[in-house]
Short mmCIF file of all heavy atoms in Angstrom, two decimals:
data_model
loop_
_atom_site.label_atom_id
_atom_site.label_comp_id
_atom_site.label_asym_id
_atom_site.label_seq_id
_atom_site.Cartn_x
_atom_site.Cartn_y
_atom_site.Cartn_z
N LYS A 265 2.02 -10.19 -3.47
CA LYS A 265 1.47 -11.64 -3.51
C LYS A 265 0.54 -11.65 -2.22
O LYS A 265 0.82 -11.20 -1.32
CB LYS A 265 2.50 -12.62 -3.50
CG LYS A 265 1.95 -13.95 -3.58
CD LYS A 265 3.04 -15.05 -3.62
CE LYS A 265 2.49 -16.51 -3.78
NZ LYS A 265 3.56 -17.54 -3.83
N ALA A 266 -0.58 -12.31 -2.55
CA ALA A 266 -1.49 -12.48 -1.36
C ALA A 266 -1.25 -13.77 -0.75
O ALA A 266 -1.15 -14.79 -1.34
CB ALA A 266 -2.91 -12.56 -2.03
N LYS A 267 -0.98 -13.65 0.74
CA LYS A 267 -0.76 -14.87 1.39
C LYS A 267 -1.91 -15.43 2.05
O LYS A 267 -1.86 -16.56 2.47
CB LYS A 267 0.41 -14.65 2.37
CG LYS A 267 0.08 -13.61 3.50
CD LYS A 267 1.27 -13.50 4.42
CE LYS A 267 0.95 -12.56 5.61
NZ LYS A 267 2.04 -12.45 6.56
N HIS A 268 -3.04 -14.64 1.97
CA HIS A 268 -4.22 -15.21 2.59
C HIS A 268 -5.37 -14.26 1.93
O HIS A 268 -5.38 -13.09 1.99
CB HIS A 268 -4.32 -15.03 4.13
CG HIS A 268 -5.67 -15.42 4.69
ND1 HIS A 268 -6.04 -16.72 4.69
CD2 HIS A 268 -6.59 -14.67 5.26
CE1 HIS A 268 -7.28 -16.78 5.40
NE2 HIS A 268 -7.70 -15.55 5.64
N VAL A 269 -6.44 -15.02 1.59
CA VAL A 269 -7.52 -14.33 0.86
C VAL A 269 -8.82 -14.76 1.54
O VAL A 269 -9.14 -15.94 1.76
CB VAL A 269 -7.55 -14.84 -0.59
CG1 VAL A 269 -8.79 -14.23 -1.34
CG2 VAL A 269 -6.40 -14.32 -1.33
N ALA A 270 -9.49 -13.78 2.00
CA ALA A 270 -10.87 -14.03 2.75
C ALA A 270 -11.89 -13.19 2.00
O ALA A 270 -11.64 -12.30 1.05
CB ALA A 270 -10.73 -13.50 4.24
N PRO A 271 -13.28 -13.34 2.31
CA PRO A 271 -14.24 -12.71 1.52
C PRO A 271 -14.12 -11.16 1.66
O PRO A 271 -14.60 -10.47 0.84
CB PRO A 271 -15.52 -13.16 2.20
CG PRO A 271 -15.32 -14.58 2.76
CD PRO A 271 -13.75 -14.48 3.13
N ASP A 272 -13.61 -10.59 2.85
CA ASP A 272 -13.59 -9.18 2.99
C ASP A 272 -12.20 -8.64 3.21
O ASP A 272 -12.02 -7.36 3.62
CB ASP A 272 -14.36 -8.77 4.20
CG ASP A 272 -14.03 -9.44 5.45
OD1 ASP A 272 -13.04 -10.18 5.47
OD2 ASP A 272 -14.52 -9.04 6.51
N HIS A 273 -11.08 -9.39 2.99
CA HIS A 273 -9.76 -8.83 3.15
C HIS A 273 -8.66 -9.76 2.54
O HIS A 273 -8.92 -10.88 2.25
CB HIS A 273 -9.46 -8.60 4.71
CG HIS A 273 -9.14 -9.84 5.46
ND1 HIS A 273 -10.25 -10.58 6.04
CD2 HIS A 273 -8.15 -10.53 5.67
CE1 HIS A 273 -9.74 -11.63 6.62
NE2 HIS A 273 -8.47 -11.68 6.45
N VAL A 274 -7.58 -9.11 2.35
CA VAL A 274 -6.43 -9.85 1.65
C VAL A 274 -5.24 -9.48 2.64
O VAL A 274 -4.95 -8.30 2.96
CB VAL A 274 -6.05 -9.36 0.24
CG1 VAL A 274 -4.87 -10.18 -0.30
CG2 VAL A 274 -7.43 -9.70 -0.58
N LEU A 275 -4.49 -10.51 3.02
CA LEU A 275 -3.20 -10.26 3.61
C LEU A 275 -2.06 -10.44 2.61
O LEU A 275 -2.02 -11.28 1.92
CB LEU A 275 -2.94 -11.35 4.85
CG LEU A 275 -4.03 -11.31 5.96
CD1 LEU A 275 -3.70 -12.41 6.93
CD2 LEU A 275 -4.22 -9.93 6.53
N LEU A 276 -1.30 -9.33 2.67
CA LEU A 276 -0.19 -9.18 1.64
C LEU A 276 1.12 -9.76 2.19
O LEU A 276 1.43 -9.73 3.33
CB LEU A 276 0.00 -7.73 1.22
CG LEU A 276 -1.32 -7.12 0.64
CD1 LEU A 276 -1.06 -5.65 0.56
CD2 LEU A 276 -1.81 -7.74 -0.50
N ALA A 277 1.90 -10.51 1.16
CA ALA A 277 3.10 -11.14 1.55
C ALA A 277 4.11 -10.10 2.02
O ALA A 277 4.88 -10.54 3.15
CB ALA A 277 3.72 -11.82 0.31
N ARG A 278 4.08 -8.94 1.64
CA ARG A 278 5.09 -8.00 2.24
C ARG A 278 4.73 -7.34 3.50
O ARG A 278 5.26 -6.33 3.99
CB ARG A 278 5.44 -6.81 1.04
CG ARG A 278 6.11 -7.55 -0.11
CD ARG A 278 6.24 -6.53 -1.17
NE ARG A 278 6.81 -7.10 -2.47
CZ ARG A 278 6.89 -6.54 -3.62
NH1 ARG A 278 6.60 -5.19 -3.62
NH2 ARG A 278 7.34 -7.07 -4.67
N GLY A 279 3.58 -7.75 3.94
CA GLY A 279 3.02 -7.07 5.19
C GLY A 279 1.86 -6.15 4.79
O GLY A 279 1.75 -5.53 3.83
N GLY A 280 0.92 -6.04 5.67
CA GLY A 280 -0.30 -5.23 5.51
C GLY A 280 -1.61 -6.00 5.22
O GLY A 280 -1.47 -7.16 4.69
N ARG A 281 -2.61 -5.41 5.29
CA ARG A 281 -4.00 -5.91 5.16
C ARG A 281 -4.81 -5.05 4.28
O ARG A 281 -4.80 -3.87 4.63
CB ARG A 281 -4.67 -6.21 6.48
CG ARG A 281 -6.14 -6.61 6.35
CD ARG A 281 -6.73 -6.64 7.73
NE ARG A 281 -8.23 -6.90 7.61
CZ ARG A 281 -8.81 -7.88 8.23
NH1 ARG A 281 -8.13 -8.79 8.89
NH2 ARG A 281 -10.16 -7.96 8.11
N LEU A 282 -5.29 -5.54 3.25
CA LEU A 282 -6.26 -4.68 2.40
C LEU A 282 -7.56 -5.34 2.59
O LEU A 282 -7.95 -6.44 2.30
CB LEU A 282 -5.91 -4.85 0.88
CG LEU A 282 -6.87 -4.21 -0.09
CD1 LEU A 282 -6.75 -2.73 0.06
CD2 LEU A 282 -6.38 -4.62 -1.59
N SER A 283 -8.56 -4.42 3.18
CA SER A 283 -9.87 -4.81 3.50
C SER A 283 -10.70 -4.26 2.25
O SER A 283 -10.39 -3.31 1.54
CB SER A 283 -10.41 -4.00 4.78
OG SER A 283 -9.63 -4.48 5.85
N ALA A 284 -11.84 -4.95 2.04
CA ALA A 284 -12.70 -4.58 0.83
C ALA A 284 -14.07 -5.08 1.15
O ALA A 284 -14.37 -5.99 1.92
CB ALA A 284 -12.23 -5.27 -0.42
N LYS A 285 -15.08 -4.36 0.42
CA LYS A 285 -16.43 -4.89 0.48
C LYS A 285 -16.59 -6.35 -0.06
O LYS A 285 -17.24 -7.16 0.46
CB LYS A 285 -17.41 -3.84 -0.23
CG LYS A 285 -18.82 -4.34 -0.26
CD LYS A 285 -19.70 -3.29 -1.00
CE LYS A 285 -21.12 -3.74 -1.00
NZ LYS A 285 -21.94 -2.80 -1.92
N HIS A 286 -15.68 -6.54 -1.08
CA HIS A 286 -15.71 -7.77 -1.74
C HIS A 286 -14.36 -8.11 -2.20
O HIS A 286 -13.67 -7.20 -2.85
CB HIS A 286 -16.57 -7.86 -3.00
CG HIS A 286 -18.16 -7.86 -2.73
ND1 HIS A 286 -18.72 -8.71 -2.02
CD2 HIS A 286 -18.98 -6.94 -3.30
CE1 HIS A 286 -20.11 -8.44 -1.98
NE2 HIS A 286 -20.20 -7.23 -2.64
N VAL A 287 -13.75 -9.27 -1.95
CA VAL A 287 -12.60 -9.84 -2.61
C VAL A 287 -12.91 -10.89 -3.47
O VAL A 287 -13.80 -11.68 -3.27
CB VAL A 287 -11.72 -10.44 -1.38
CG1 VAL A 287 -10.46 -10.99 -2.03
CG2 VAL A 287 -11.29 -9.33 -0.46
N ILE A 288 -12.31 -10.75 -4.77
CA ILE A 288 -12.50 -11.69 -5.84
C ILE A 288 -11.25 -12.46 -6.12
O ILE A 288 -10.28 -11.75 -6.47
CB ILE A 288 -13.02 -10.95 -7.06
CG1 ILE A 288 -14.35 -10.25 -6.65
CG2 ILE A 288 -13.19 -12.01 -8.21
CD1 ILE A 288 -14.89 -9.37 -7.87
N ASP A 289 -11.23 -13.71 -5.94
CA ASP A 289 -10.04 -14.49 -6.14
C ASP A 289 -10.01 -14.85 -7.64
O ASP A 289 -10.76 -15.73 -8.08
CB ASP A 289 -10.13 -15.74 -5.20
CG ASP A 289 -8.80 -16.45 -5.16
OD1 ASP A 289 -7.94 -16.23 -5.96
OD2 ASP A 289 -8.62 -17.47 -4.18
N ALA A 290 -9.06 -14.47 -8.30
CA ALA A 290 -8.82 -14.78 -9.62
C ALA A 290 -7.44 -15.29 -9.95
O ALA A 290 -6.80 -14.97 -10.95
CB ALA A 290 -9.01 -13.50 -10.54
N ARG A 291 -6.84 -16.11 -8.98
CA ARG A 291 -5.55 -16.51 -9.00
C ARG A 291 -5.16 -17.76 -9.96
O ARG A 291 -3.99 -18.24 -9.95
CB ARG A 291 -4.94 -16.80 -7.66
CG ARG A 291 -4.74 -15.59 -6.80
CD ARG A 291 -4.37 -15.89 -5.37
NE ARG A 291 -5.34 -16.64 -4.62
CZ ARG A 291 -5.22 -17.09 -3.45
NH1 ARG A 291 -3.98 -17.07 -2.83
NH2 ARG A 291 -6.22 -17.82 -2.87
N GLY A 292 -6.09 -18.05 -10.77
CA GLY A 292 -5.71 -19.23 -11.72
C GLY A 292 -5.82 -20.52 -11.11
O GLY A 292 -6.48 -20.72 -10.11
N VAL A 293 -5.21 -21.47 -11.61
CA VAL A 293 -5.35 -22.86 -11.22
C VAL A 293 -5.01 -23.03 -9.68
O VAL A 293 -3.88 -22.63 -9.28
CB VAL A 293 -4.51 -23.87 -12.03
CG1 VAL A 293 -4.54 -25.24 -11.56
CG2 VAL A 293 -4.91 -23.74 -13.50
N GLY A 294 -5.89 -23.66 -8.95
CA GLY A 294 -5.60 -24.05 -7.56
C GLY A 294 -5.23 -25.42 -7.50
O GLY A 294 -4.71 -26.12 -8.36
N LYS A 295 -5.66 -26.08 -6.42
CA LYS A 295 -5.42 -27.50 -6.16
C LYS A 295 -6.32 -28.22 -6.95
O LYS A 295 -7.59 -28.03 -6.99
CB LYS A 295 -5.55 -27.84 -4.63
CG LYS A 295 -4.56 -27.09 -3.77
CD LYS A 295 -4.63 -27.51 -2.25
CE LYS A 295 -3.72 -26.88 -1.45
NZ LYS A 295 -3.85 -27.13 -0.09
N LEU A 296 -5.86 -29.29 -7.79
CA LEU A 296 -6.68 -30.03 -8.62
C LEU A 296 -6.58 -31.55 -8.27
O LEU A 296 -7.13 -32.47 -9.10
CB LEU A 296 -6.16 -29.84 -10.06
CG LEU A 296 -6.35 -28.54 -10.67
CD1 LEU A 296 -5.71 -28.52 -12.05
CD2 LEU A 296 -7.76 -28.09 -10.74
N ALA A 297 -6.09 -31.89 -7.12
CA ALA A 297 -5.93 -33.28 -6.66
C ALA A 297 -7.30 -33.90 -6.61
O ALA A 297 -7.42 -35.21 -6.67
CB ALA A 297 -5.21 -33.36 -5.31
N MET A 298 -8.33 -33.21 -6.43
CA MET A 298 -9.70 -33.70 -6.25
C MET A 298 -10.34 -33.99 -7.54
O MET A 298 -11.56 -34.62 -7.52
CB MET A 298 -10.62 -32.84 -5.44
CG MET A 298 -10.97 -31.49 -6.07
SD MET A 298 -9.77 -30.38 -6.46
CE MET A 298 -9.22 -29.84 -4.76
N LEU A 299 -9.76 -33.69 -8.66
CA LEU A 299 -10.24 -33.83 -9.94
C LEU A 299 -9.53 -34.87 -10.75
O LEU A 299 -8.18 -35.08 -10.51
CB LEU A 299 -10.24 -32.57 -10.76
CG LEU A 299 -11.11 -31.27 -10.13
CD1 LEU A 299 -10.84 -30.24 -11.08
CD2 LEU A 299 -12.54 -31.72 -9.88
N ASP A 300 -10.15 -35.58 -11.64
CA ASP A 300 -9.48 -36.50 -12.51
C ASP A 300 -9.25 -35.76 -13.95
O ASP A 300 -10.06 -35.31 -14.49
CB ASP A 300 -10.38 -37.72 -12.78
CG ASP A 300 -9.52 -38.88 -13.44
OD1 ASP A 300 -8.61 -38.49 -14.14
OD2 ASP A 300 -9.88 -40.07 -13.25
N CYS A 301 -7.91 -35.52 -14.14
CA CYS A 301 -7.60 -34.75 -15.27
C CYS A 301 -6.67 -35.44 -16.32
O CYS A 301 -5.78 -36.22 -15.93
CB CYS A 301 -6.86 -33.45 -14.83
SG CYS A 301 -7.88 -32.31 -13.82
N GLY A 302 -6.95 -35.02 -17.64
CA GLY A 302 -5.77 -35.22 -18.58
C GLY A 302 -5.15 -33.80 -18.66
O GLY A 302 -5.54 -32.84 -17.85
N TRP A 303 -4.19 -33.57 -19.62
CA TRP A 303 -3.53 -32.23 -19.62
C TRP A 303 -3.31 -31.82 -21.03
O TRP A 303 -2.94 -32.63 -21.94
CB TRP A 303 -2.21 -32.25 -18.92
CG TRP A 303 -2.34 -32.88 -17.55
CD1 TRP A 303 -2.31 -34.15 -16.99
CD2 TRP A 303 -2.69 -32.01 -16.32
NE1 TRP A 303 -2.69 -34.14 -15.62
CE2 TRP A 303 -2.86 -32.85 -15.28
CE3 TRP A 303 -2.83 -30.64 -16.17
CZ2 TRP A 303 -3.12 -32.53 -14.05
CZ3 TRP A 303 -3.19 -30.12 -14.91
CH2 TRP A 303 -3.37 -31.09 -13.82
#
Side-chain angles (χ1 to χ4, degrees):
K265 184 176 182 179
K267 66 178 183 180
H268 176 72
V269 176
D272 62 353
H273 71 273
V274 181
L275 299 183
L276 302 172
R278 296 176 186 170
R281 171 187 172 120
L282 174 63
S283 297
K285 180 180 178 181
H286 292 301
V287 173
I288 300 175
D289 192 347
R291 288 178 293 175
V293 178
K295 295 179 180 179
L296 297 176
M298 72 293 292
L299 303 178
D300 194 331
C301 298
W303 304 92

